[in-house]
Amino acid sequence: MDGLRSLLWGRGVSALGDGLWFTIWALYLTRIAGLPPVTVGVGLAVASAAGMAAAVPLGAFADRVGARPVLVALTLVRAVAMAGYLAVDGTWSFLAVTVPFTALATGGTAVRTALITGVVTEPAERVRVLARQRVAQHVGYAAGAGLGALVLTADTRWAYTVAIAGNAVSFLALAGATLLVPARTGAPPERPGTRVVLRDRPYLCVAAATAVLSLCWAMLSAGLPLWLSGRTRLPLGLGGVVVVLSSVGIAVFQVPFARFARTAGQAARTAVVSGVVLAASCVLLATTAGGAGAGAVTVVVLAAVLHVVGELGYVAANWGLSVQLMREDAKGAYQGVTEAATATVQMVAPGVFTLAVGGLGGPGWLLIAAVFLAAVAPVPALTRWAVRTRSPAGHGLARSR
């Protein structure tokens, strides 16, 4: 479909800007804008909390007025906020741009998923389209990170200015691409708002359990660097090799992995496999304590391969479960809950790995492995409970639970 292809390209362009920004933001805010690191940290925490709180209401609002106009509006606001970083000169101006820019990202992801699932009606195809979006996102991130490296090399105000302006323009491109997606042709028979999803206990339980698997992202961004630098004698550059391996694996295999989440039951089993594989990756990393040389490097690379498989499985399962179990007349609200649950885990994930891996060492990896296993163990039973509470047509909840 032409509209979805346009959205795919728009997502790739926007992700290029995201990769560029995420590479340079820390140095820009502290070195160029002159903000204290603690101000940046607190501001990002406030913005993340606002994003978690806003995700479900934004999704419900998209259910009422249409996902496309809401997503376009959110994207344009984020474009303005990104441009606003050029004017940041203190705490309040930083909060004024960071809260809308960061907070609306979580809700925007939920609304984008609702938009795609509103255009694509076949469940398995929905997951495939979402997988293609993620591939475009990671390709864009990689290209943007490369440009960000050039900006950091120049390390001048004008280079940062061009980068920020370019990222703002990338949001405009995404907004334009979103406008090409077909609009909703008819209103749903009812607009249940946020209450229906907040009362859907089976769905909430499934979303909470699977969200724990998103700890896998902080494994690479926080856990592995802490481990390599503090508990092994391996080169720190190995962490970068692992990130590249992960990015390539996602780009190549995310779409094929969509086949493992065609039904809710299949997605639940994939979530279990993902948790087991991620736990195995943690156990392997624990064995490299104090390690050095080719043997330890091989173990880390093997753990990285398992991590990629686990992440691919988690993402596919998360899409499969959230799409299969949501109410069709409340797509945005349901996807908002899924994104809010993931955002909650992501907010605490760096601290979890700092305490577990940085503080406990090898036993910390074993603790994280146990968390993965405990999270996925009830997913099949929770999924069966959720399936039983859907209406026969799959568009609502059964009358009794």
Side-chain angles (χ1 to χ4, degrees):
M1 189 175 293
D2 290 339
L4 289 177
R5 282 196 293 268
S6 174
L7 184 61
L8 182 71
W9 282 103
R11 189 68 191 98
V13 171
S14 176
L16 187 150
D18 287 339
L20 176 58
W21 172 244
F22 291 138
T23 304
I24 69 172
W25 68 264
L27 288 183
Y28 173 76
L29 293 174
T30 56
R31 287 168 56 86
I32 305 300
L35 298 176
V38 66
T39 298
V40 176
V42 171
L44 291 175
V46 170
S48 297
M52 289 185 292
V56 178
L58 283 174
F61 184 62
D63 292 329
R64 291 179 179 274
V65 305
R68 188 180 71 169
V70 172
L71 184 57
V72 170
L74 294 179
T75 305
L76 291 176
V77 171
R78 295 192 74 210
V80 173
M82 172 51 58
Y85 276 112
L86 294 174
V88 167
D89 59 1
T91 300
W92 295 112
S93 58
F94 170 63
L95 289 174
V97 298
T98 293
V99 170
F101 179 76
T102 303
L104 296 183
T106 300
T109 300
V111 175
R112 184 179 300 106
T113 302
L115 175 63
I116 291 172
T117 56
V119 175
V120 182
T121 57
E122 202 277 314
E125 183 60 23
R126 284 171 165 174
V127 177
R128 282 194 291 270
V129 172
L130 290 170
R132 294 188 190 104
Q133 293 279 321
R134 189 169 193 242
V135 170
Q137 176 184 342
H138 274 265
V139 172
Y141 275 152
L147 293 176
L150 297 178
V151 174
L152 294 178
T153 300
D155 196 27
T156 59
R157 178 177 286 274
W158 71 264
Y160 289 107
T161 298
V162 170
I164 291 172
N167 193 13
V169 171
S170 77
F171 282 108
L172 298 179
L174 178 58
T178 304
L179 286 172
L180 298 178
V181 178
R184 186 175 67 188
T185 57
E190 62 174 310
R191 299 178 176 90
T194 62
R195 288 180 294 177
V196 64
V197 65
L198 296 179
R199 292 174 178 172
D200 190 350
R201 288 175 294 173
Y203 188 92
L204 294 177
C205 290
V206 170
T210 53
V212 175
L213 293 178
S214 69
L215 285 171
C216 67
W217 295 329
M219 278 182 67
L220 296 190
S221 63
L224 187 60
L226 287 171
W227 180 250
L228 292 176
S229 62
R231 301 286 180 165
T232 75
R233 291 173 291 162
L234 295 170
L236 297 182
L238 183 58
V241 173
V242 169
V243 171
V244 171
L245 176 65
S246 176
S247 298
V248 172
I250 290 167
V252 174
F253 294 110
Q254 190 65 78
V255 173
F257 260 70
R259 71 184 65 178
F260 301 122
R262 291 172 176 169
T263 67
Q266 191 179 40
R269 292 190 293 272
T270 299
V272 172
V273 172
S274 171
V276 172
V277 171
L278 288 171
S281 177
C282 291
V283 172
L284 281 180
L285 288 173
T287 66
T288 63
V297 169
T298 301
V299 174
V300 171
V301 171
L302 179 57
V305 172
L306 291 178
H307 179 277
V308 172
V309 174
E311 180 179 348
L312 291 167
Y314 154 63
V315 171
N318 187 51
W319 286 331
L321 290 169
S322 67
V323 168
Q324 295 280 352
L325 299 178
M326 70 181 182
R327 279 182 57 151
E328 289 294 323
D329 58 352
K331 298 181 184 70
Y334 272 74
Q335 294 304 320
V337 161
T338 298
E339 292 302 322
T342 303
T344 301
V345 173
Q346 289 304 294
M347 191 168 71
V348 303
V352 168
F353 279 95
T354 299
L355 292 174
V357 176
L360 300 177
W365 282 120
L366 300 181
L367 178 61
I368 299 296
V371 170
F372 281 134
L373 295 176
V376 298
V379 169
L382 292 174
T383 301
R384 289 192 294 270
W385 177 29
V387 169
R388 288 196 301 270
T389 61
R390 307 302 101 171
S391 69
H395 298 300
L397 305 181
R399 293 183 179 177
S400 61
R401 295 187 179 145

